[in-house]
Amino acid sequence: MKRTHSCGALRLEDVGKTVSLAGWVDRRRDLGGVIFVDLRDKYGKTQVVFDPERNQEVHQIADQLRNEYVITVTGVVQKRPEGMENDKLSTGKIDVKIDKIEILNTAETSPLAINDPKEESRENDDLRLRYRYLDLRRPWIQKNLILKSRFLKEVHNFFHENGFEDIETPVLCKSTPEGARDYLVPSRVNPGRFYALPQSPQQYKQLLMIAGMDRYYQIAKCFRDEDLRADRQPEFTQIDVEMSFVDQNDVMELFDRFVTEVMGKVWDFTPPSPIRRMTYAEAMLKYGSDKPDLRFDLEIKDVTELAGNTGFGVFNSVMKAGGKIRGLAAKGCVDFTRKQIDDLTAHVARYGAKGLVWMRVKENDEVETQVGKFFTVDQLNALRDAVGASASDMMFFIAGSEKVAATAMGQLRLEIARIKGLMNPSVREFVWITEFPMFEYSETEGRYMSMHHPFTSPMPEHLEMMLSGNLKDCNAQAYDLVLNGVEIGGGSVRIHKPDVQEKVFRLLGLNEEQVKEKFGFFVDAFKFGAPPHGGLAFGLDRVVATMEGFESIRDFIAFPKNTSASSPMDQSPSEVDLTQLQDIHISLNLPKK
RNA sequence: GGGGUGGUAGCUCAAUUUGGUUAGAGCACCGGCCUGUCACGCCGGAGGUUGCGAGUUCAAGCCUCGUCUAUCCCGCCA
């Protein structure tokens, strides 16, 4: 027994007890005589005291202690002298006078400042990942992992209480077209053949519905071989759910309860119930995004008719070409400098905006703008009223294709909110986005692609439209759950009729042979009595990160990859022995340097 | 694949108008002093291929080119 208590356990009522503690030396304060050591473990910190008058031998050993040494100590809990309490520690009213010490391990000087009291001070990511086991000793990051663990426990409870079964699905799967690039695993016993790691257990969970399992959930590892971002890792975890005999309302209602009962409990708050819903069309129009951040207004207005029918050639030609003109009133931003506006212009250019038109509303409500000569005073005033601007506001306008006008404006909206500090991290705004388009035209592929995935059912009233080949206006029974501008979950009602599924594959450009080869087993399964079903997947890492106000999910994953999808700690991916490659019948054809 | 930003001591950063003594500071580290500190304090010390490679120049951390790398973003991510 190395310890009787953790380093976060002792309180005033323990005074007088003889205790043993074990942990890491967080910090040593040597006053010449008495030596103080903050001993740290997962549970907290406790100050232990080495008094030369109490025990000279032990004191001499304490003299050798350095940061991150691993020790076990035994001593007597004492009330700290008057005025010597430390309010920052839960154990701060006591300390432990040490009679016995054992150095369990020494430690080299840490390349990371583990005991840095400034929580926001972090070394660069490369160094942190290289010494991740040291990085993970920091209390703030341990807190993140522990929170995720607690959340998972409640997730399991919730689904079990609601009749869901936790069923594992394969990690070695069949590679399928559509979607992200697959991670491939060569088969040794089947030369020239490959498994794919699952992008999600989508098909398996649907097969479980066909199998009659009725309600399935799984904490599922998913893999996507695409470029990384702060909120995207090549492997990540989903709370994956599927239910039989449900419509989309049933799924959303279940997750309304999930948010209230699980997230509300873990983060100790009361979410709105039900969570508000907004159509995709409304979100794109008003917020220029399918994941609107509703912590602030800054609503976008369509001013195509107003602005297009003026003497301003740019607006005029965009409208005639079938494009849109969108505007918004940036409240209290009349004093934006020319440099700020230039930066905003550059910002929206990244999203395809050809330009950014700005107008100031002066104290007397008069509109002032560089392009004023193209508008009448009435037209300017009409624009001002249309976007809801008044004195001391700045107005911004973007003209372009509907997609560019919407998304560039949406990004402008976010950037203004950042500048004005409107993204309050303590506010949580949930919203369901519904009625997503069924298909999306891909310029790079030159064809329509599924916006969600190819198993998504069209809205019943749009089925005929889809079957007749109108893909543009066909909406799906798909829904995303959005929190503070972050998509934390998404799902759909699935197609359960084999003929509809076949048709969708065909519309996506897959011929009969390709469907048979890639999805044959899946399509066959639907011929044997598939129940209507639907579900949803929650991004576990992203939910926790977003709830904690972090943008990067890396601080919630014990061993994440860097942006090159490699691990600076274990140097993976790495080269392998030639014999290993021979076993799996692989020869390398590497790009020239 | 493309763009932005960064790479200087173990760590976090600095180094004046394109350049001008021996590249600095804080923390960490090592030594000394200090008996109630808690980011202890005081004194001293050590620590540098300025990512790498070329180039321009009398002179490069600083300018140019290439390259590597990290990060953020666009594309991509059903």
Side-chain angles (χ1 to χ4, degrees):
Chain A
M1 195 68 160
K2 301 284 186 198
R3 60 182 174 189
T4 58
H5 294 76
S6 78
C7 294
L10 295 172
R11 297 289 185 275
L12 265 183
E13 53 264 34
D14 297 303
V15 166
K17 287 182 188 166
T18 296
V19 299
S20 294
L21 301 175
W24 286 262
V25 174
D26 191 65
R27 197 180 285 277
R28 185 180 69 114
R29 289 177 295 279
D30 182 350
L31 273 64
V34 66
I35 295 173
F36 296 100
V37 167
D38 291 336
L39 195 61
R40 183 193 73 238
D41 67 10
K42 189 183 94 173
Y43 309 94
K45 289 176 195 168
T46 301
Q47 173 168 282
V48 298
V49 188
F50 299 91
D51 187 341
E53 288 170 10
R54 186 181 180 94
N55 189 323
Q56 190 134 30
E57 195 185 335
V58 166
H59 181 265
Q60 274 171 8
I61 296 172
D63 204 46
Q64 305 161 22
L65 294 177
R66 295 294 181 268
N67 286 350
E68 302 309 315
Y69 274 31
V70 185
I71 62 173
T72 175
V73 290
T74 301
V76 178
V77 182
Q78 307 222 333
K79 183 177 190 298
R80 290 199 190 188
E82 202 72 29
M84 300 298 165
E85 297 88 356
N86 185 345
D87 294 338
K88 290 182 212 156
L89 297 181
S90 60
T91 60
K93 290 205 165 34
I94 55 94
D95 53 24
V96 184
K97 296 263 189 187
I98 302 306
D99 300 306
K100 208 176 135 200
I101 178 171
E102 185 184 349
I103 296 179
L104 300 172
N105 226 332
T106 60
E108 291 181 16
T109 302
S110 170
L112 303 181
I114 296 166
N115 61 8
D116 196 324
K118 290 196 295 285
E119 192 159 289
E120 69 276 14
S121 83
R122 293 164 200 186
E123 294 79 4
N124 78 57
D125 277 18
D126 188 42
L127 195 76
R128 289 179 59 199
L129 291 184
R130 183 147 35 111
Y131 298 100
R132 186 61 165 178
Y133 44 87
L134 298 180
D135 196 34
L136 293 177
R137 280 188 197 163
R138 297 175 210 257
W140 70 267
I141 193 164
Q142 290 199 349
K143 185 175 136 246
N144 287 355
L145 296 183
I146 292 165
L147 186 66
K148 191 168 151 188
S149 165
R150 277 198 51 214
F151 178 50
L152 270 178
K153 175 176 179 282
E154 298 300 331
V155 169
H156 282 288
N157 284 348
F158 177 84
F159 286 108
H160 279 283
E161 283 163 13
N162 285 280
F164 288 79
E165 309 300 341
D166 182 355
I167 301 172
E168 289 184 288
T169 53
V171 171
L172 297 174
C173 305
K174 183 182 172 69
S175 177
T176 54
E178 300 290 308
R181 200 174 290 112
D182 283 325
Y183 273 100
L184 295 176
V185 180
S187 168
R188 178 181 56 82
V189 293
N190 299 284
R193 297 191 184 201
F194 296 83
Y195 303 98
L197 303 181
Q199 297 172 29
S200 86
Q202 183 61 38
Q203 292 175 61
Y204 293 107
K205 68 175 174 179
Q206 289 193 242
L207 292 166
L208 287 170
M209 293 303 103
I210 294 173
M213 287 309 302
D214 198 63
R215 293 190 154 201
Y216 144 97
Y217 87 101
Q218 182 184 193
I219 309 303
K221 265 292 179 75
C222 304
F223 306 85
R224 292 176 191 178
D225 187 5
E226 295 291 349
D227 288 352
L228 282 71
R229 290 282 190 284
D231 63 346
R232 273 178 8 206
Q233 282 278 304
E235 57 177 308
F236 60 99
T237 308
Q238 282 189 347
I239 303 169
D240 195 47
V241 175
E242 196 75 6
M243 310 157 75
S244 289
F245 305 110
V246 292
D247 57 29
Q248 60 174 2
N249 195 48
D250 296 322
V251 180
M252 283 188 273
E253 281 180 359
L254 178 84
F255 275 88
D256 283 346
R257 282 182 44 221
F258 175 88
V259 170
T260 297
E261 294 174 25
V262 179
M263 296 175 66
K265 179 176 178 185
V266 173
W267 279 277
D268 192 26
F269 75 117
T270 308
S273 188
I275 289 165
R276 66 185 285 193
R277 299 183 190 182
M278 184 185 295
T279 64
Y280 172 87
E282 185 183 352
M284 291 305 291
L285 179 65
K286 291 186 178 170
Y287 305 101
S289 169
D290 61 357
K291 43 182 180 181
D293 191 334
L294 299 182
R295 285 176 292 178
F296 49 91
D297 291 331
L298 284 177
E299 201 173 300
I300 298 165
K301 305 289 184 188
D302 187 273
V303 292
T304 308
E305 291 294 319
L306 267 181
N309 291 307
T310 60
F312 191 42
V314 174
F315 285 175
N316 218 281
S317 56
V318 163
M319 184 182 74
K320 280 182 182 150
K324 299 288 180 187
I325 304 155
R326 299 277 160 84
L328 72 70
K331 291 285 164 195
C333 295
V334 73
D335 53 353
F336 270 15
T337 62
R338 187 59 212 235
K339 167 127 185 21
Q340 279 178 299
I341 294 170
D342 286 347
D343 288 347
L344 289 173
T345 306
H347 186 74
V348 297
R350 293 213 291 261
Y351 303 91
K354 296 278 197 297
L356 181 64
V357 173
W358 51 278
M359 303 181 180
R360 299 182 204 271
V361 184
K362 297 198 292 186
E363 277 310 312
N364 57 3
D365 284 344
E366 225 174 89
V367 176
E368 178 189 77
T369 170
Q370 285 190 317
V371 293
K373 62 183 174 183
F374 301 111
F375 298 85
T376 66
V377 171
D378 283 347
Q379 286 170 338
L380 290 175
N381 288 343
L383 282 173
R384 179 197 63 206
D385 295 341
V387 300
S390 52
S392 82
D393 295 348
M394 180 84 83
M395 296 189 275
F396 290 105
F397 299 92
I398 292 172
S401 70
E402 180 162 6
K403 191 181 173 198
V404 165
T407 56
M409 210 61 197
Q411 293 295 334
L412 177 73
R413 175 177 177 269
L414 293 177
E415 191 61 21
I416 290 169
R418 267 179 220 117
I419 292 168
K420 299 295 283 183
L422 299 178
M423 292 172 168
N424 184 344
S426 62
V427 173
R428 289 163 178 148
E429 285 293 340
F430 291 85
V431 59
W432 285 107
I433 305 300
T434 62
E435 297 181 34
F436 274 81
M438 184 84 180
F439 304 98
E440 190 177 32
Y441 190 77
S442 163
E443 299 289 345
T444 47
E445 297 278 323
R447 65 175 176 95
Y448 276 95
M449 297 175 67
S450 296
M451 192 151 182
H452 188 56
H453 58 54
F455 319 115
T456 303
S457 174
M459 302 215 307
E461 57 269 40
H462 288 181
L463 181 61
E464 283 306 315
M465 192 196 291
M466 186 191 85
L467 293 175
S468 68
N470 178 358
L471 305 191
K472 193 171 155 292
D473 300 319
C474 179
N475 287 343
Q477 299 188 63
Y479 34 84
D480 279 356
L481 184 58
V482 173
L483 167 60
N484 293 354
V486 178
E487 179 202 326
I488 57 173
S492 63
V493 169
R494 327 300 183 185
I495 297 167
H496 69 282
K497 298 277 196 187
D499 54 330
V500 177
Q501 185 66 70
E502 282 278 1
K503 179 69 181 176
V504 169
F505 284 140
R506 208 68 76 243
L507 291 169
L508 292 171
L510 294 164
N511 64 37
E512 198 172 340
E513 202 166 321
Q514 288 167 314
V515 171
K516 200 174 169 204
E517 149 73 14
K518 299 294 184 185
F519 297 105
F521 70 102
F522 194 64
V523 173
D524 281 347
F526 281 82
K527 295 173 182 166
F528 296 97
H533 59 287
L536 182 142
F538 244 61
L540 174 67
D541 316 292
R542 216 180 263 183
V543 171
V544 183
T546 306
M547 287 300 290
E548 289 296 293
F550 284 61
E551 284 183 14
S552 172
I553 62 173
R554 283 176 220 166
D555 290 329
F556 293 84
I557 296 173
F559 300 102
K561 303 286 190 285
N562 67 13
T563 47
S564 309
S566 59
S567 164
M569 183 179 69
D570 56 23
Q571 300 283 300
S572 74
S574 59
E575 295 177 351
V576 296
D577 289 341
L578 192 58
T579 55
Q580 285 180 283
L581 289 177
Q582 285 167 345
D583 278 351
I584 54 175
H585 324 286
I586 296 279
S587 66
L588 297 177
N589 179 19
L590 299 173
K592 290 186 183 69
K593 268 224 162 169

